[in-house]
Amino acid sequence: MAQNALPQIMVAPNGARKTKQDHPNLPITVDEIVAEARLCFEAGAGAIHAHVRDAGGHHVLDAGLYQELLKELRAQLPKLIAQITTEAVGQYSAAQQRAVVRAVAPDFVSIALREMVPDEDTGTLRAFYHEQSDRGVNVQHILYAPDELDQFYQLVSDGVLAAPNSELLLVLGRYQKDQQSLPSDLDPFLARLKALGLDLPWGVCAFGRKETDCLTYAVKRGGKARIGFENNIHHLDGSVASGNHERVAELVAALQSAS
């Protein structure tokens, strides 16, 4: 595995939308995120997909908070890869997303293609993405539907996106009824990847109670897995996990059983 590649299992412990009302152990503060990251690392996660929240618990793209979190994670969990996100949540522009990446200068970042691309001229996008590639940043491009792979492929072909250091995150169930995904939801993505000849590392996150089944299926097909409360708080048996580390542990056990 390349030095700048993501590991097989990443935890997404909080996301942008859930609150303590959704789960009392949802990590919100930097201290809470670091503490949960430690438990998840011990359970088998090699990376964390990190969101930060303001004093009111709201999702923010705040360079200072990101830098504080990354500093603590490096100090306390130096072997855990930390990926920041630029998720817009309908409140941040593409320019603001680019600005936080430039201010934080992370080694790993996830960017939703549909949030960054639509209204931006290709010159601006090309400059940003190639800047990150030149820095050796691992950019994980988040794709919510198989047809977004066609857009991604065209942007790479046009030289707007830089393929080196790129990975894909394929999202299952985000726009399904009640945000419930099935393993078979991955198949159309894989068919488009094959048809386009896109040979890039890819991972999956899956909304809903079949999360473990979806991620196990993804790993069997050659992908990576992102698991955690951002997408689902339930185990396969329907019980509610006490923390993200329990979700990681269930996935690790499922992968071991499937091997």
Side-chain angles (χ1 to χ4, degrees), residues 176-198:
Q176 302 282 22
K177 183 179 179 181
D178 300 323
Q179 292 191 0
Q180 298 294 318
S181 56
L182 295 171
S184 59
D185 294 338
L186 177 60
D187 293 338
F189 283 100
L190 298 186
R192 289 309 300 152
L193 280 172
K194 182 177 181 180
L196 293 167
L198 275 171

Side-chain angles (χ1 to χ4, degrees), residues 111 113 117 122 125-126 129-130 133 139-143 147-168 193 196-201:
I111 302 172
L113 190 69
V117 169
T122 55
L125 290 171
R126 182 182 291 107
Y129 281 109
H130 283 264
S133 180
V139 177
Q140 188 180 44
H141 302 271
I142 302 175
L143 306 174
D147 60 7
E148 290 187 5
L149 283 164
D150 295 87
Q151 183 184 28
F152 177 83
Y153 177 82
Q154 190 61 54
L155 289 167
V156 171
S157 299
D158 292 342
V160 176
L161 300 183
N165 306 317
S166 287
E167 300 198 27
L168 306 175
L193 280 172
L196 293 167
L198 275 171
D199 185 20
L200 290 174

